[in-house]
Amino acid sequence: MSCDSDYMISMQAKFDSPMPWIGVYIAAASLVCSVAMAVDVIHGIRRKKLWFPCKFFTMNAASLTVLAVATKLPVDLTTSMWGRTDRIAKLSSTIFVITVMGNFLTSFAFMDNNAILMNIAALGILVITIIVNACIQMVTSAIDYSIWAEEIFVIISMFFLFVALSFSVLTVPTTKRYLDLKYDELHKTISNGGKLEETEKLIDRKLKEMVKKYWVMAETSNPQFVMARSVTCTTSGIMCLLTALTLVEAEIRMNSLYWRLWLTNDSNYRWSTSWILWIQFCGVVVGTVAPTFRWFTAISYNCIHLLGSNHLNELIFVENYWIQRLVEWKERPLPLRIRGAKFRKLVEDTKNLALNICIGVQFGIVAASKAVLLISIILTLPFFSCWDYGKRLNMKLISIFAAKSIYVSSGPETSSTELDLSDYILQLEGEVKLPTRILKNICHEVNQVIQKGRNQKPKYLIELLQKSSDNFKAVASFDHSQVQNSWTLPVVNLTSIAIALPNIENLRVARLISSVSEGLSYANLIEESLSTKGDDFLSIKHAADVVWKGIELYGKWLDKDFRKLALEGKTTYEFLQTLADIAEKTAIEFQRKITGSSKVLVATSMQRICRTILKDYKSSTDAHMDENLFEQLSIMIADILGACLTNLPQVIALKCYCSAVEEREKSVRHAASLLGETEEILEILRCHQLPSLSGDRAAYIDEWCAFMKQKDPPAIVGSSNNEIDASGELHLAVEE
């Protein structure tokens, strides 16, 4: 018998040996969740968004799987955990789930209906499993009675928070639909009835104002921000705070009560339990920041308006959007083919009963949340009153000193009128008006994005555009009707010739490549945003992108090394003749291939440009032809890019408006950044003579060419002899 007993003990010890490493696995999962929540907190503080949007730690399959691993201790029914650290670790795991749920809440705002249903179901399975297992452990005395009070409070809080979260996300489709309608109404007002094609004529100030208006609309209609402002979200914040304080209280009480009577940890997890406890404790502390600040921010919003009777009524009234989704389900017939009127009636009555219960629960949750908010406001009202009084006193003192300084100053009195953006704040029914400081923070952020764009302005492209001619006459130097129907294609081919010319300094070549690279990034954005020519145009654009990648990275045009030809000691005429021959052979080669049709246009364009330059070169005896030709090619590139970039205001306007709520903030942020980057470019282009083309025509180079040739052919196309005149200007007339 003793042998069998020893054998069983040794086998049990062998089975229990990996348990500490399982604890390390749990601690690692907890650390991942904690770090993700901490990053979201840092992100919110840096962006001055104290409602802390979920960007890095959102509700999805991956995060839910990690959370399930981190909460293994509460669902472990087989391992005895009677040590002091073991008990607190179990409690901390349960509170850790509540903290994560409080952070998860706003991430549901960007989900569609199916994603919401699947994620709520998955989260519900985890929550119910934890609650059931905790109840079983209390019934079987697996959890010591000394910590029952905290455990019961935490379980009740978890259940109520999950129910509140589940019913809160029911409002997401309704609030999105309502805010989208208001967004479209304001969009029509800003864009003059939706005519964005006229925005290319906007001056710099008007363009900034438009970006700021759309920025305020996008920020205030952000679904996460809307949910963070809801009363249920603020209630989840105070619940997370109370459960976090419960963990602190349990830790202090257990350490003071059992520090001599109980071992720190005597379970099979051994030393790893301490790791789990302290990592989850830190996670609870960090994770409580976002929900608590949402609750605190909601209090500060409402304190100012509490004394108004209308606001008190709004705090009592339950708005329609809370139950509209449930009412729609109730009115909608079930998509079931059921025979028999009595049975259909029974099913319909059962459905109506269940939905009536859900509506009642929703009313109760919203009413309870508003009651919690009202109590919180009343308790903190003295603090906020003192804060508001001190703030007004400080502003009064500042205004007095400012008035004195203006009086002393001998200069003329100046007044700056700021743009009033309060009319562009999107809010739901019953929401209190956002404080002025929130609007200032939103405007400050867009100013920061614009300034960041200014710091990243394309300096090489700006230098190149300063060489452009007054009316961009190089645009009409080519026949675009058959070959050149893309802004990027002639730029790429002209740059290929320019950088391959012999006797040109490497520094000038590098600067040209850098400037063209910067210009092509904007030209591609313009073509992608405004083009409606279909697949043929996209294939030509793609071919130009492929050619430019070869030029920029490897110095090769369609795998042909032009720079190598320049080093073979040929004259400029021989070099250009070789380029023309290579382009002709390349065109013939790609014509034989089924997949090379777009590259045929690239090669044909290159051939015609080279042939035209050869005619001009024959009639010139200039000893500095290489330098002059490089300079004139640079001017032509600047003209084409400059004409293309006149479409930037329209692209910025299109980027401002985004119908998809999930991409709205990202799109308007891109518009603000683009405005900052291109401010100096737009200032340069405003000094040029621009054709009176509508927005849809101005987006295409062939439309520019046709317009300019009709308006003033001699001045745009140049002389028929294609000579370099006394000023050193090269005129290209591409032949058919």
Side-chain angles (χ1 to χ4, degrees), residues 396-569:
K396 187 176 181 179
L397 292 174
I398 292 175
S399 62
I400 292 173
F401 285 117
K404 288 183 178 180
S405 64
I406 293 174
Y407 178 78
V408 172
S409 176
S410 59
E413 188 173 331
T414 59
S415 61
S416 60
T417 57
E418 295 184 358
L419 179 65
D420 184 15
L421 298 173
S422 58
D423 293 335
Y424 300 93
I425 296 175
L426 299 180
Q427 292 184 273
L428 295 172
E429 175 192 3
E431 277 194 302
V432 65
K433 184 179 179 181
L434 292 181
T436 306
R437 60 182 176 85
I438 300 297
L439 184 58
K440 287 183 178 179
N441 287 339
I442 293 174
C443 296
H444 178 68
E445 186 177 5
V446 67
N447 291 332
Q448 281 186 323
V449 174
I450 294 174
Q451 183 59 45
K452 185 177 180 181
R454 293 192 187 107
N455 297 336
Q456 298 174 347
K457 63 182 180 182
K459 57 181 181 179
Y460 295 110
L461 176 61
I462 292 172
E463 291 178 4
L464 178 65
L465 291 177
Q466 289 173 346
K467 299 179 180 179
S468 59
S469 57
D470 184 53
N471 57 355
F472 304 121
K473 54 188 174 182
V475 175
S477 299
F478 302 98
D479 180 13
H480 301 280
S481 59
Q482 297 181 7
V483 178
Q484 313 288 354
N485 56 355
S486 166
W487 291 106
T488 56
L489 183 55
V491 172
V492 167
N493 282 335
L494 288 170
T495 307
S496 304
I497 298 172
I499 65 175
L501 289 173
N503 305 320
I504 304 298
E505 295 179 2
N506 292 332
L507 180 61
R508 297 179 67 187
V509 171
R511 293 177 76 88
L512 179 63
I513 292 176
S514 298
S515 59
V516 172
S517 179
E518 292 174 346
L520 288 178
S521 64
Y522 296 112
N524 285 328
L525 177 62
I526 290 170
E527 290 180 334
E528 291 171 359
S529 302
L530 304 179
S531 175
T532 57
K533 287 192 174 182
D535 296 337
D536 293 338
F537 175 80
L538 292 177
S539 64
I540 296 172
K541 177 183 172 300
H542 174 70
D545 292 340
V546 172
V547 172
W548 178 248
K549 183 180 73 171
I551 295 171
E552 185 179 24
L553 300 181
Y554 308 105
K556 296 182 179 181
W557 178 86
L558 291 179
D559 295 330
K560 307 296 189 301
D561 192 347
F562 286 177
R563 296 289 291 176
K564 185 177 181 181
L565 296 175
L567 299 175
E568 291 179 356

Side-chain angles (χ1 to χ4, degrees), residues 98 227 588:
I98 295 176
M227 180 162 282
I588 296 173

Side-chain angles (χ1 to χ4, degrees), residues 363-419:
F363 264 106
I365 291 172
V366 176
S369 299
K370 291 196 172 189
V372 170
L373 179 60
L374 183 59
I375 294 171
S376 302
I377 293 171
I378 294 173
L379 293 176
T380 56
L381 187 58
F383 168 77
F384 280 103
S385 298
C386 295
W387 176 269
D388 186 59
Y389 176 76
K391 187 177 179 181
R392 283 189 283 109
L393 182 61
N394 186 38
M395 293 297 294
K396 187 176 181 179
L397 292 174
I398 292 175
S399 62
I400 292 173
F401 285 117
K404 288 183 178 180
S405 64
I406 293 174
Y407 178 78
V408 172
S409 176
S410 59
E413 188 173 331
T414 59
S415 61
S416 60
T417 57
E418 295 184 358
L419 179 65

Side-chain angles (χ1 to χ4, degrees), residues 20-37:
W21 298 108
I22 295 175
V24 172
Y25 185 46
I26 298 170
S30 303
L31 182 62
V32 170
C33 295
S34 302
V35 170
M37 289 188 289

Side-chain angles (χ1 to χ4, degrees), residues 20 25 29 149 187 237 260 281 297 334 362 391 428 449 509 566 646 661:
Y25 185 46
H187 161 64
R260 288 183 179 178
F281 186 86
T297 304
L334 288 173
Q362 184 75 303
K391 187 177 179 181
L428 295 172
V449 174
V509 171
T646 58
V661 65

